[in-house]
Amino acid sequence: MSNATLNWGHFTATRFLREVWQRKPLLLRQAFAGFAPLLSRAQLFALAGDEDVESRLLQRNGRRWLLDHGPFSRRQIPPVEQRNWTLLVQGVNLHVDAASELLSQFRFIPDARLDDLMISWASDGGGVGPHQDAYDVFLLQAAGRRRWRIGPVLDATLQPGKPVKLLAHFEPEEDLILEPGDMLYLPPGWGHDGIAVGNDCMTYSIGFRAPPQGELLKEVLWQLAESQHGGPIYSDPPLRVGAPPALLPPAMVKFAAQAFARLKPDATVFESVLGTYLTTPKPQVWFESPQASLASLRRACQQTGCRLDRRSKMLYTAQAVFINGEAVSAELAPSGLLRTLADQHRLSALQLKDATTGELAVLAQWCAQGWLLTGDMVAAAAATGKTRRG
Ligand code: SIN
Ligand code: CO
């Protein structure tokens, strides 16, 4: 269980959003005072050995960098006494409940922006080198000490021939040492270079991705194309014997352009594309279905409430509700209860008292898919200490 609470000190979340977010770095000393790492080193290394978990190992020897991708057996991970290496484990919130709970402290930022929680472990001198990210990131020092050198990127030239993107001419403006519980916020594109000072340095990166416009456009075009069922087929204009056979007929080019011009997506199309795209689980995510009938899941929901599984993603607009890459049916789209579930990640038995038959049916269906857990399942998991699968 994570009982960590973000402490703004002399700051507030409102002031942060107004003055800092996406603008400039901010160091919050003891943002999580007394923070206790959610995973031990051994647990993190074990996670890096799981084939469903994305992990990387980066080792530095002078100017040489070596990058490997997981899963890693314990023997493939260097001895902790060896200097200058780091293990990075991505998406820890998908696998560990406490990590997912930590992210709830950052819900003053829209869920649509949240990417994941990455945890790094570094030996003395370890780090990923000077770089910039296309993310807003909160770098929470969970254990040990890390020196961060940060500054605007004036020259984005990369060091040639390196397995990771390293800035060739990074000129940091600030030099900070973070202690456990300290947290550094960096806006996208801010240069940073974090080096472990001493052993057992663990940094938690809470990343918020800003999708590039081209990526969203690709998704919109893809989904629009998928929704076009055939349409008229091309027919030749009058043909002429002796015309060059290899010439691409201009009429065919015009035909394709007309198909494109006919696509006039309105705002609901963009909402639907973004809603399904941004809630689509990452490829390595899979859900476990419980061995229970729909009727019993429905009853359990009514009696004990329900909670979104940590891997589920849910968003909504005024017109639609999306979960794990799907939009709910038109009949359920206006549901306030489903919006409450999306915002609170849970519904109590009391909140479910006036649920409609349709709402209860879809909640039971989501439980059957493993997207939602009934209150009694959550209680049973807590009692056995089973906070991650396996
Ligand atoms: C790290 O934890 O070493 C890397 C975090 C980052 O630089 O984004
Ligand atoms: Co970074």
Side-chain angles (χ1 to χ4, degrees):
M1 271 280 143
S2 159
N3 49 16
T5 307
L6 174 49
N7 167 24
W8 288 99
H10 64 281
F11 245 81
T12 60
T14 306
R15 187 169 157 216
F16 173 79
L17 290 179
R18 199 176 52 225
E19 297 173 16
V20 179
W21 178 245
Q22 299 224 288
R23 286 186 179 80
K24 58 184 183 188
L26 179 74
L27 172 60
L28 286 167
R29 291 279 179 207
Q30 293 305 290
F32 289 91
F35 186 80
L38 307 178
L39 291 176
S40 65
R41 180 177 73 202
Q43 285 170 321
L44 187 70
F45 288 6
L47 209 52
D50 189 323
E51 60 180 20
D52 296 321
V53 178
E54 213 184 314
S55 58
R56 288 167 292 160
L57 177 65
L58 194 59
Q59 304 182 63
R60 184 173 58 81
N61 187 353
R63 294 182 61 79
R64 281 189 53 229
W65 293 79
L66 185 66
L67 173 69
D68 288 296
H69 292 273
F72 300 105
S73 68
R74 185 59 193 89
R75 277 186 296 123
Q76 290 172 301
I77 298 178
V80 294
E81 305 76 34
Q82 184 182 308
R83 286 177 48 89
N84 303 338
W85 66 270
T86 182
L87 177 74
L88 306 139
V89 183
Q90 212 74 50
V92 178
N93 53 300
L94 300 173
H95 307 282
V96 178
D97 279 334
S100 168
E101 282 161 27
L102 177 65
L103 294 186
S104 66
Q105 294 291 314
F106 296 86
R107 292 190 79 205
F108 54 92
I109 313 287
D111 291 344
R113 291 287 321 279
L114 177 65
D115 190 53
D116 74 345
L117 170 70
M118 178 185 86
I119 300 187
S120 70
W121 186 94
S123 69
D124 192 16
V128 302
H131 67 285
Q132 57 178 334
D133 300 310
Y135 286 65
D136 292 270
V137 67
F138 292 93
L139 298 157
L140 166 62
Q141 193 59 25
R145 300 164 81 214
R146 171 160 249 144
R147 175 183 183 195
W148 283 105
R149 288 184 302 159
I150 63 171
V153 175
L154 306 174
D155 178 350
T157 311
L158 297 178
Q159 297 182 28
K162 297 287 193 275
V164 284
K165 288 182 179 170
L166 297 176
L167 293 168
H169 312 290
F170 179 48
E171 289 180 24
E173 265 182 3
E174 281 179 275
D175 198 330
L176 311 159
I177 299 276
L178 266 69
E179 307 274 349
D182 293 345
M183 186 169 77
L184 176 63
Y185 162 74
L186 295 176
W190 211 265
H192 52 293
D193 184 10
I195 299 167
V197 180
N199 223 335
D200 259 329
C201 167
M202 278 204 264
T203 303
Y204 289 15
S205 299
I206 297 114
F208 291 85
R209 189 155 182 271
Q213 211 168 22
E215 179 187 309
L216 297 181
L217 183 65
K218 209 159 94 188
E219 227 11 75
V220 170
L221 292 175
W222 172 253
Q223 288 200 28
L224 280 175
E226 285 283 282
S227 66
Q228 301 298 303
H229 299 294
I233 58 165
Y234 174 68
S235 61
D236 287 316
L239 300 179
R240 184 176 56 82
V241 174
L247 180 71
L248 174 65
M252 197 181 267
V253 175
K254 198 168 158 201
F255 181 72
Q258 278 167 348
F260 187 79
R262 263 200 307 273
L263 296 175
K264 288 209 179 62
D266 60 17
T268 59
V269 171
F270 294 110
E271 279 183 10
S272 155
V273 170
L274 287 191
T276 52
Y277 179 56
L278 294 173
T279 59
T280 297
K282 294 196 177 186
Q284 65 274 24
V285 167
W286 52 274
F287 293 91
E288 293 145 68
S289 298
Q291 302 288 319
S293 68
L294 278 176
S296 66
L297 290 169
R298 183 192 152 121
R299 241 185 344 266
C301 269
Q302 278 180 297
Q303 286 165 4
T304 64
C306 58
R307 198 196 77 183
L308 274 187
D309 179 82
R310 62 177 174 269
R311 288 156 285 204
S312 283
K313 289 182 168 193
M314 209 172 170
L315 295 172
Y316 63 82
T317 64
Q319 276 81 26
V321 178
F322 308 95
I323 179 166
N324 295 337
E326 293 177 14
V328 302
S329 66
E331 177 211 339
L332 288 171
S335 165
L337 193 71
L338 297 185
R339 284 173 175 75
T340 304
L341 174 63
D343 279 331
Q344 298 181 353
H345 286 185
R346 63 189 71 229
L347 291 172
S348 66
L350 189 67
Q351 286 172 307
L352 281 162
K353 214 163 63 62
D354 299 321
T356 64
T357 314
E359 286 167 338
L360 285 172
V362 85
L363 294 176
Q365 182 57 46
W366 293 347
C367 287
Q369 288 168 269
W371 294 1
L372 201 62
L373 306 171
T374 59
D376 57 344
M377 286 179 194
V378 176
T384 57
K386 184 177 176 261
T387 57
R388 68 171 298 244
R389 67 188 157 70

